[in-house]
């Protein structure tokens, strides 16, 4: 389960940065439907953004060096080919973490008054820049290794932020995550986590990653509200191991299970498009950009075809 660390770090960085900076971002620039004026550069805000990101990054690297890798054997730099691991759900997770970090980094720098060009250069690339050193450090420890596929996924996540801002001047497609406890965790004797938090990090069967886009971007109609989205999701199930399923864990037999992919189609809400007269609610909605709302969902999978959910979390 070692590849999970990168995702944990990226999510912590994104969420912590978001809590500190994103609510403030929404206050000034996103509470009106009118085009935002050219921002004025604020040294204080810029310093706060940089200091927050630097502190989080320093804390993460310190944790890696002094706690996580403390008892790990250091080895000459080596590579780790894990592109097929967890049926690529892990790669979707890497891209998601980089997307969150880059999204927050870009918005925070715009809030500080940085030009769009500089915000994209230094904020839009934040996810890739934060996660790359972690991937490199992995290469020096036994059982880990540097993964080119992880690097590629990180680049895709940051690229989604930068590309959309350059092409559309906004994030017309949000990259989202949802979690639903899988039935496999009860059969795994702790291998997939024993607590709710542990299962979020260790049970890839419970992860779904969504690409959510406004329905009126697909069907041009003034009757369709800006906040109504359609979402396409990806997940996988039946996984008790990275490349193949283990047979035992802690002397408990793991039942044979077929690994399969899931492709999901659902509705969603773009919270950032909901405008109210309440300043606090506007800030809350802006900070929920990454949350997929549970909705009826159609699944097409590689195991038994179709499945319909009344509500998919």
């Amino acid at each position: 389960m070692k590849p999970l660390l990168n995702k944990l770090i990226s999510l912590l960085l994104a969420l912590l940065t978001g809590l500190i900076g994103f609510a403030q971002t929404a206050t000034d620039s996103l509470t009106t439907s009118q085009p935002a004026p050219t921002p004025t550069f604020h040294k204080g805000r810029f310093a706060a953004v940089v200091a927050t990101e630097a502190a989080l990054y320093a804390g993460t690297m310190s944790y890696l060096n002094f706690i996580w890798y403390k008892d790990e054997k250091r080895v000459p730099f080596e590579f780790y080919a894990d592109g097929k691991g967890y049926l690529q759900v892990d790669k979707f997770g890497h891209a998601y973490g980089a997307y969150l970090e880059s999204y927050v980094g870009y918005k925070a720098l715009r809030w500080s008054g940085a030009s769009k060009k500089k915000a994209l250069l230094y904020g839009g690339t934040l996810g890739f820049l934060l996660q790359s050193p972690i991937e490199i450090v992995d290469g020096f420890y036994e059982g880990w290794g540097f993964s080119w596929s992880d690097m590629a996924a990180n680049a895709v996540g940051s690229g989604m932020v930068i590309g959309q801002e350059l092409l559309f001047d906004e994030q017309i497609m949000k990259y989202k995550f949802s979690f639903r406890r899988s039935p496999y965790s009860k059969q795994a004797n702790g291998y997939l986590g024993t607590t709710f938090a542990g299962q979020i990090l260790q049970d890839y069967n419970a992860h779904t990653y969504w690409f959510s886009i406004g329905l009126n971007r697909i069907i041009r109609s003034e009757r369709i509200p800006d906040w109504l989205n359609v979402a396409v999701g990806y997940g996988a199930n039946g996984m008790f191991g990275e490349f193949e399923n283990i047979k035992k864990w802690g002397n408990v037999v793991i039942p044979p299970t077929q690994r399969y992919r899931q492709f999901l189609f659902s509705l969603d809400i773009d919270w950032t498009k909901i405008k109210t007269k309440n300043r606090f609610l506007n800030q809350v909605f802006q900070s929920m950009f990454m949350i997929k709302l549970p909705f009826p969902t159609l699944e097409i999978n590689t195991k038994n075809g179709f499945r319909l959910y009344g509500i998919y979390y």
Side-chain angles (χ1 to χ4, degrees):
M1 289 300 185
K2 291 179 178 180
L4 289 166
L5 177 64
N6 290 339
K7 184 185 297 180
L8 171 60
I9 291 171
S10 64
L11 289 176
L12 286 174
L13 284 169
L15 292 175
L16 288 172
T17 306
L19 287 173
I20 294 172
F22 196 81
Q24 297 168 316
T25 305
T27 303
D28 293 356
S29 61
L30 296 171
T31 55
T32 174
S33 60
Q34 299 299 319
T38 302
T40 302
F41 184 73
H42 297 274
K43 290 183 179 180
R45 292 183 180 184
F46 180 77
V49 171
V50 173
T52 299
E53 294 174 354
L56 289 171
Y57 185 67
T60 299
M61 296 308 293
S62 295
Y63 175 80
L64 285 174
N65 288 321
F66 300 111
I67 299 178
W68 186 265
Y69 290 123
K70 180 180 179 181
D71 299 320
E72 300 291 337
K73 182 180 178 181
R74 193 173 177 89
V75 297
F77 189 81
E78 58 186 10
F79 294 88
Y80 182 57
D82 63 342
K84 297 181 179 180
Y86 300 109
L87 296 179
Q88 289 80 49
V89 174
D90 174 61
K91 305 311 165 198
F92 278 81
H94 274 270
Y96 177 72
Y99 178 85
L100 287 185
E101 291 162 351
S102 291
Y103 184 101
V104 172
Y106 170 73
K107 292 289 186 179
L109 283 176
R110 289 294 280 167
W111 167 72
S112 75
S115 67
K116 180 169 184 173
K117 181 178 180 180
K118 290 184 177 179
L120 285 175
L121 179 61
Y122 300 111
T125 59
L126 186 63
F128 183 76
L129 294 176
L130 285 177
Q131 295 187 173
S132 293
I134 299 170
E135 310 294 354
I136 293 171
V137 171
D138 282 351
F140 290 100
Y141 288 90
E142 189 175 51
W144 290 66
F146 175 86
S147 168
W148 280 113
S149 57
D150 284 352
M151 289 288 285
N154 298 339
V156 168
S158 292
M160 282 192 287
V161 174
I162 297 171
Q164 291 189 83
E165 291 297 332
L166 291 175
L167 291 173
F168 310 110
D169 204 32
E170 64 171 319
Q171 298 294 299
I172 66 169
M173 182 187 72
K174 303 294 196 305
Y175 193 13
K176 300 189 176 186
F177 168 78
S178 65
F179 173 86
R180 52 181 288 151
R181 280 184 162 172
S182 75
Y184 305 102
S185 59
K186 295 181 180 179
Q187 306 171 15
N189 192 34
Y191 179 72
L192 299 177
T194 56
T195 64
F196 180 78
Q199 289 171 13
I200 289 178
L201 297 173
Q202 298 178 3
D203 189 0
Y204 282 113
N205 303 288
H207 292 199
T208 306
Y209 295 92
W210 301 89
F211 300 99
S212 180
I213 187 170
L215 181 58
N216 59 12
R217 289 278 182 172
I218 301 172
I219 304 173
R220 295 290 183 177
S221 173
E222 295 182 356
R223 296 182 179 181
I224 301 175
D226 289 342
W227 48 260
L228 182 60
N229 279 25
V230 291
V232 178
Y234 176 75
N237 262 296
M239 298 180 293
F240 290 97
E242 185 172 7
F243 301 104
E244 58 184 24
N245 290 346
I246 61 174
K247 297 180 179 180
K248 284 186 177 183
W249 185 254
N251 295 322
V252 172
V253 175
I254 303 296
T257 307
Q258 179 181 344
R259 299 159 70 98
Y260 66 95
R261 303 175 190 274
Q262 302 166 283
F263 304 93
L264 303 118
F265 304 88
S266 182
L267 293 175
D268 188 30
I269 286 179
D270 184 347
W271 303 99
T272 69
K273 298 293 185 181
I274 299 178
K275 307 300 179 184
T276 76
K277 295 182 179 180
N278 187 296
R279 183 174 178 177
F280 174 75
L281 283 178
N282 283 332
Q283 293 179 352
V284 171
F285 288 149
Q286 294 300 322
S287 66
M288 293 168 60
F289 70 94
M290 79 294 279
I291 297 176
K292 167 70 170 70
L293 188 71
F295 259 109
T297 298
L298 172 66
E299 173 186 312
I300 302 176
N301 62 62
T302 57
K303 180 180 181 181
N304 50 26
F306 295 86
R307 181 177 180 183
L308 183 63
Y309 297 86
I311 290 291
Y312 187 97
Y313 296 91

